[in-house]
Amino acid sequence: SRGYKQFIPQGDTLGTHLSNKSKCALDIAASEGTIVKAVDGGTIGLVGKFNDQCGTNTCTAEKMLGNFIIIRHANNISSLYAHLKPDSISVKEGDEVVSNQEIGRVGTTGFTRGVHLHFEMYSGSDGKDSGKGVRPESMCGNSDLKPDDNLSGC
């Protein structure tokens, strides 16, 4: 069913999201196990499986995202979905996906303070090496979105 989603933009005052790249990320509050779908069609560029949670002193850079997926889309755009529930990733590197295809489920793996989906979009990325972060709402043609706006048409 279609509904409204709560989007929480990142910024300099939100703890772990301090880089220019992650300021363009969204943390999307959701219940554990909520289905995560691809925002658009593309090719799975990278799948990372790090099932454990980690803290400030125990988390290596590679484990911060926990279980994650990067999808390469058209026009040199990539999307990243992180903190996915253990054993929920339903795609592998090289798979082709279509818009709205289930790819995993929301969880708490990696460096996180609670259940949510960490979502980022990049331009200039090959799907394995992060490019320049872009504000996801700019992909919708609307840079004035409010936290309770319905983004189902993106």
Side-chain angles (χ1 to χ4, degrees), residues 71-130:
I71 302 176
R72 292 189 311 253
H73 305 285
N75 300 320
N76 210 27
I77 298 290
S78 293
S79 57
L80 176 139
Y81 313 76
H83 307 310
L84 300 173
K85 185 176 180 178
D87 302 318
S88 74
I89 295 175
S90 58
V91 294
K92 63 185 183 310
E93 290 180 30
D95 283 356
E96 294 293 323
V97 295
V98 296
S99 181
N100 287 324
Q101 179 177 331
E102 180 178 334
I103 57 174
R105 298 204 173 231
V106 173
T108 58
T109 59
F111 186 48
T112 178
R113 295 183 180 147
V115 179
H116 70 281
L117 173 69
H118 179 92
F119 176 75
E120 299 182 33
M121 292 184 76
Y122 300 98
S123 65
S125 174
D126 67 1
K128 289 188 183 260
D129 183 24
S130 299

